[in-house]
Amino acid sequence: MKGKLWLLVLSVTIVNFYYTYPSRAAVEHDPLEQNIVKDGSTVTLEYTLSGDDGTVIESSKGKAPLKYIHGRRQIIRGLERELAGMKTGEEKSIKIRPEDGYGAVDPKAFREFPRDKLPPEALQVGTVLTARTPDGQAIPVRVHEVKENVVVLDFNHPLAGKTLNFEVKVGEIQPSDTK
């Protein structure tokens, strides 16, 4: 009798444990967790980026939303940090300081080039040219100053040194394929 009672108590305990604590698989596939921006999730994002003066720099309005994988450094660090934990449909205003965006303006990124090596139509301050890195990657370069014999080119990212203001809305969130 004692053996049967012990078996009955053990069976009731196991059943209670099973119904009280969901399986690990159930927790990992919780549909509510799939709607949260976290590392490895693929996120679509509607956004408008403006400068401190309110001028719109870039927007996805009327276009396909931005799609990226969270945690893979596919977007600037400050924006990625602020998006973590957001849910599908959530909207947010985000202000990113230069150090969390494209960095400060680097004085070493200004280079002088012989004026006669550039086409005449490029000899105007503000003109954006395309330069190629040794591995062939195209990068924008801005004419910073035109002197008598040289042109000063700015190799900084165009948004370096700027505070960035984002208005974002999280669209679809697809969970990571990795477990």
Side-chain angles (χ1 to χ4, degrees), residues 100-121:
D100 291 328
Y102 292 97
V105 173
D106 181 1
K108 295 177 185 173
F110 292 88
R111 305 271 185 203
E112 290 186 347
F113 284 86
R115 184 179 172 138
D116 61 356
K117 297 287 183 189
L118 296 173
E121 60 273 10

Side-chain angles (χ1 to χ4, degrees), residues 71-127:
R72 300 262 176 95
R73 296 182 175 183
Q74 295 175 344
I75 60 175
I76 59 173
R77 152 178 84 212
L79 181 59
E80 189 166 55
R81 182 180 57 241
E82 291 293 323
L83 292 170
M86 289 183 70
K87 297 177 181 165
T88 300
E90 190 172 349
E91 297 181 40
K92 189 175 187 181
S93 295
I94 301 171
K95 185 175 212 139
I96 307 293
R97 297 183 325 261
E99 58 270 20
D100 291 328
Y102 292 97
V105 173
D106 181 1
K108 295 177 185 173
F110 292 88
R111 305 271 185 203
E112 290 186 347
F113 284 86
R115 184 179 172 138
D116 61 356
K117 297 287 183 189
L118 296 173
E121 60 273 10
L123 300 176
Q124 192 169 19
V125 173
T127 299

Side-chain angles (χ1 to χ4, degrees), residues 16-50:
N16 282 340
F17 181 82
Y18 178 79
Y19 285 106
T20 305
Y21 299 99
S23 71
R24 179 179 168 151
V27 171
E28 288 177 355
H29 299 294
D30 181 354
L32 295 177
E33 285 292 312
Q34 293 178 4
N35 293 326
I36 297 175
V37 176
K38 58 185 174 185
D39 284 354
S41 56
T42 301
V43 180
T44 59
L45 184 68
E46 294 177 22
Y47 71 95
T48 297
L49 167 61
S50 58

Side-chain angles (χ1 to χ4, degrees), residues 47-173:
Y47 71 95
T48 297
L49 167 61
S50 58
D52 264 348
D53 63 357
T55 302
V56 173
I57 298 168
E58 187 175 284
S59 179
S60 67
K61 287 184 179 175
K63 304 175 190 171
L66 171 70
K67 187 174 186 178
Y68 78 100
I69 300 174
H70 196 79
R72 300 262 176 95
R73 296 182 175 183
Q74 295 175 344
I75 60 175
I76 59 173
R77 152 178 84 212
L79 181 59
E80 189 166 55
R81 182 180 57 241
E82 291 293 323
L83 292 170
M86 289 183 70
K87 297 177 181 165
T88 300
E90 190 172 349
E91 297 181 40
K92 189 175 187 181
S93 295
I94 301 171
K95 185 175 212 139
I96 307 293
R97 297 183 325 261
E99 58 270 20
D100 291 328
Y102 292 97
V105 173
D106 181 1
K108 295 177 185 173
F110 292 88
R111 305 271 185 203
E112 290 186 347
F113 284 86
R115 184 179 172 138
D116 61 356
K117 297 287 183 189
L118 296 173
E121 60 273 10
L123 300 176
Q124 192 169 19
V125 173
T127 299
V128 178
L129 307 169
T130 301
R132 298 255 177 226
T133 62
D135 65 351
Q137 182 181 2
I139 57 171
V141 179
R142 188 179 59 79
V143 174
H144 178 72
E145 185 178 356
V146 179
K147 297 180 179 181
E148 187 176 330
N149 295 319
V150 294
V151 176
V152 179
L153 298 178
D154 180 0
F155 284 82
N156 283 290
H157 188 283
L159 297 176
K162 296 190 184 320
T163 297
L164 308 173
N165 298 288
F166 287 90
E167 294 295 325
V168 299
K169 180 178 180 183
V170 176
E172 185 178 349
I173 302 171

